Tab-separated table of all heavy atoms in Angstrom:
chain	number	residue	atom	x	y	z
A	43	ARG	N	-17.752	17.736	4.799
A	43	ARG	CA	-18.465	18.187	3.595
A	43	ARG	C	-18.888	17.026	2.701
A	43	ARG	O	-19.717	17.205	1.815
A	43	ARG	CB	-17.572	19.138	2.792
A	43	ARG	CG	-17.392	20.496	3.453
A	43	ARG	CD	-16.396	21.345	2.658
A	43	ARG	NE	-16.794	21.547	1.280
A	43	ARG	CZ	-17.548	22.549	0.845
A	43	ARG	NH1	-18.000	23.442	1.714
A	43	ARG	NH2	-17.845	22.673	-0.425
A	47	ALA	N	-21.213	16.710	-5.285
A	47	ALA	CA	-20.897	17.388	-6.539
A	47	ALA	C	-19.957	18.574	-6.329
A	47	ALA	O	-19.051	18.810	-7.143
A	47	ALA	CB	-22.189	17.847	-7.215
A	48	ARG	N	-20.153	19.322	-5.246
A	48	ARG	CA	-19.280	20.467	-5.010
A	48	ARG	C	-17.835	20.039	-4.780
A	48	ARG	O	-16.897	20.642	-5.304
A	48	ARG	CB	-19.779	21.273	-3.818
A	48	ARG	CG	-21.068	22.052	-4.086
A	48	ARG	CD	-21.428	22.936	-2.909
A	48	ARG	NE	-22.635	23.715	-3.176
A	48	ARG	CZ	-23.148	24.599	-2.341
A	48	ARG	NH1	-22.564	24.808	-1.160
A	48	ARG	NH2	-24.233	25.258	-2.663
A	49	THR	N	-17.664	18.990	-3.993
A	49	THR	CA	-16.315	18.489	-3.732
A	49	THR	C	-15.671	17.976	-5.011
A	49	THR	O	-14.490	18.234	-5.273
A	49	THR	CB	-16.363	17.373	-2.674
A	49	THR	OG1	-16.865	17.909	-1.449
A	49	THR	CG2	-14.978	16.793	-2.435
A	51	GLY	N	-16.337	18.976	-7.999
A	51	GLY	CA	-16.011	20.146	-8.803
A	51	GLY	C	-14.702	20.785	-8.365
A	51	GLY	O	-13.872	21.172	-9.201
A	52	LEU	N	-14.495	20.880	-7.051
A	52	LEU	CA	-13.239	21.435	-6.550
A	52	LEU	C	-12.068	20.517	-6.891
A	52	LEU	O	-10.950	20.984	-7.142
A	52	LEU	CB	-13.329	21.647	-5.039
A	52	LEU	CG	-14.310	22.731	-4.590
A	52	LEU	CD1	-14.375	22.802	-3.068
A	52	LEU	CD2	-13.914	24.093	-5.168
A	107	GLY	N	-12.118	29.223	-12.538
A	107	GLY	CA	-13.508	29.281	-12.978
A	107	GLY	C	-14.320	28.099	-12.479
A	107	GLY	O	-15.463	28.269	-12.014
A	108	ILE	N	-13.761	26.905	-12.552
A	108	ILE	CA	-14.479	25.719	-12.078
A	108	ILE	C	-14.732	25.810	-10.578
A	108	ILE	O	-15.804	25.461	-10.090
A	108	ILE	CB	-13.678	24.442	-12.427
A	108	ILE	CG1	-13.659	24.231	-13.947
A	108	ILE	CG2	-14.263	23.224	-11.737
A	108	ILE	CD1	-12.724	23.140	-14.405
A	109	ALA	N	-13.727	26.307	-9.839
A	109	ALA	CA	-13.898	26.454	-8.392
A	109	ALA	C	-15.006	27.443	-8.065
A	109	ALA	O	-15.799	27.225	-7.141
A	109	ALA	CB	-12.582	26.897	-7.760
A	110	ALA	N	-15.065	28.537	-8.819
A	110	ALA	CA	-16.117	29.526	-8.582
A	110	ALA	C	-17.493	28.941	-8.861
A	110	ALA	O	-18.461	29.218	-8.140
A	110	ALA	CB	-15.872	30.758	-9.456
A	111	LEU	N	-17.594	28.106	-9.891
A	111	LEU	CA	-18.874	27.476	-10.205
A	111	LEU	C	-19.250	26.422	-9.173
A	111	LEU	O	-20.412	26.312	-8.776
A	111	LEU	CB	-18.802	26.830	-11.595
A	111	LEU	CG	-18.760	27.784	-12.792
A	111	LEU	CD1	-18.517	26.997	-14.077
A	111	LEU	CD2	-20.063	28.582	-12.901
A	112	ALA	N	-18.246	25.653	-8.724
A	112	ALA	CA	-18.535	24.545	-7.810
A	112	ALA	C	-18.733	25.011	-6.374
A	112	ALA	O	-19.610	24.508	-5.665
A	112	ALA	CB	-17.401	23.517	-7.866
A	113	GLY	N	-17.905	25.952	-5.938
A	113	GLY	CA	-17.935	26.350	-4.541
A	113	GLY	C	-18.323	27.790	-4.297
A	113	GLY	O	-18.423	28.214	-3.135
A	114	GLY	N	-18.494	28.570	-5.358
A	114	GLY	CA	-18.838	29.976	-5.202
A	114	GLY	C	-17.618	30.876	-5.212
A	114	GLY	O	-16.491	30.419	-5.011
A	115	PRO	N	-17.828	32.165	-5.441
A	115	PRO	CA	-16.708	33.115	-5.510
A	115	PRO	C	-15.873	33.146	-4.232
A	115	PRO	O	-14.655	33.327	-4.283
A	115	PRO	CB	-17.403	34.465	-5.753
A	115	PRO	CG	-18.721	34.111	-6.353
A	115	PRO	CD	-19.110	32.810	-5.739
A	116	ARG	N	-16.505	32.956	-3.089
A	116	ARG	CA	-15.773	33.000	-1.826
A	116	ARG	C	-14.752	31.865	-1.751
A	116	ARG	O	-13.617	32.055	-1.300
A	116	ARG	CB	-16.750	32.910	-0.655
A	116	ARG	CG	-16.122	33.190	0.697
A	116	ARG	CD	-17.173	33.143	1.787
A	116	ARG	NE	-16.584	33.341	3.099
A	116	ARG	CZ	-17.226	33.180	4.230
A	116	ARG	NH1	-18.514	32.815	4.206
A	116	ARG	NH2	-16.627	33.368	5.388
A	117	THR	N	-15.145	30.690	-2.191
A	117	THR	CA	-14.221	29.557	-2.221
A	117	THR	C	-13.064	29.829	-3.175
A	117	THR	O	-11.900	29.542	-2.861
A	117	THR	CB	-14.953	28.274	-2.647
A	117	THR	OG1	-15.912	27.930	-1.641
A	117	THR	CG2	-13.982	27.117	-2.824
A	118	ALA	N	-13.383	30.377	-4.340
A	118	ALA	CA	-12.336	30.669	-5.317
A	118	ALA	C	-11.317	31.661	-4.763
A	118	ALA	O	-10.107	31.528	-5.002
A	118	ALA	CB	-12.956	31.204	-6.603
A	122	THR	N	-8.916	28.650	-3.754
A	122	THR	CA	-8.325	28.345	-5.064
A	122	THR	C	-7.247	29.339	-5.446
A	122	THR	O	-6.187	28.947	-5.969
A	122	THR	CB	-9.420	28.316	-6.141
A	122	THR	OG1	-10.585	27.681	-5.634
A	122	THR	CG2	-8.930	27.577	-7.376
A	159	GLY	N	-13.699	24.109	0.993
A	159	GLY	CA	-14.534	25.145	0.403
A	159	GLY	C	-14.446	26.447	1.160
A	159	GLY	O	-13.368	26.856	1.599
A	160	ALA	N	-15.568	27.093	1.349
A	160	ALA	CA	-15.597	28.379	2.055
A	160	ALA	C	-15.702	28.207	3.559
A	160	ALA	O	-15.731	29.195	4.293
A	160	ALA	CB	-16.769	29.219	1.551
Side-chain angles (χ1 to χ4, degrees):
R43 288 175 58 90
R48 289 186 178 182
T49 298
L52 293 177
I108 292 171
L111 289 173
R116 190 177 177 189
T117 294
T122 320

